[in-house]
Amino acid sequence: MDLSPNGDYALLGLADHTAVYFDIKNGGVKRTLGHQARVKAVDLSEDAQFALTGSDAWKTKFWNVETNELLHTIELGNVVDTVALAPTTKKPSVQPAWMTPLSGIPKRVKSFTP
């Protein structure tokens, strides 16, 4: 789960293959973001306009939650346990990352700027 900095919105990853974007200030679900598997990781941008979600389907998705538009999907080589949006004053940079199990395999990072 992630809260917007002003506390007005929350994003929650669920086992039903969705991430739910709540409007805490006014009440109710504002958006439901779909995946093909359990959503394990979520992050909201500083302005709560963008979201990054990660799932057991080895994918991370970048959303404009104001328009409910899926902007990018990145297929990774492992379950996505952690996602993070880099703080920015311009367009957000997406840097999904995960650690492989402690088996001597190095940390893998994929990034792009939309």
Side-chain angles (χ1 to χ4, degrees):
M1 180 177 168
D2 191 27
L3 294 172
S4 64
N6 64 8
D8 289 348
Y9 301 99
L11 185 63
L12 179 63
L14 300 174
D16 72 355
H17 305 187
T18 64
V20 180
Y21 184 58
F22 293 98
D23 184 338
I24 296 170
K25 184 177 179 182
N26 299 307
V29 173
K30 189 168 182 179
R31 301 274 187 252
T32 301
L33 312 173
H35 271 267
Q36 293 79 30
R38 176 177 56 164
V39 178
K40 294 180 75 172
V42 296
D43 193 26
L44 283 171
S45 63
E46 294 171 327
D47 61 2
Q49 182 179 354
F50 299 97
L52 188 62
T53 58
S55 76
D56 280 347
W58 299 14
K59 292 181 183 175
T60 185
K61 295 184 178 187
F62 182 58
W63 307 84
N64 181 326
V65 289
E66 289 300 313
T67 64
N68 206 35
E69 180 182 7
L70 176 60
L71 301 173
H72 296 286
T73 300
I74 301 173
E75 196 159 336
L76 303 169
N78 207 338
V79 170
V80 181
D81 290 318
T82 305
V83 295
L85 289 167
T88 181
T89 56
K90 298 179 182 178
K91 290 175 117 178
S93 296
V94 180
Q95 295 181 326
W98 73 97
M99 287 294 290
T100 56
L102 298 175
S103 60
I105 301 171
K107 180 179 177 181
R108 298 180 187 183
V109 177
K110 293 189 179 190
S111 65
F112 67 89
T113 302

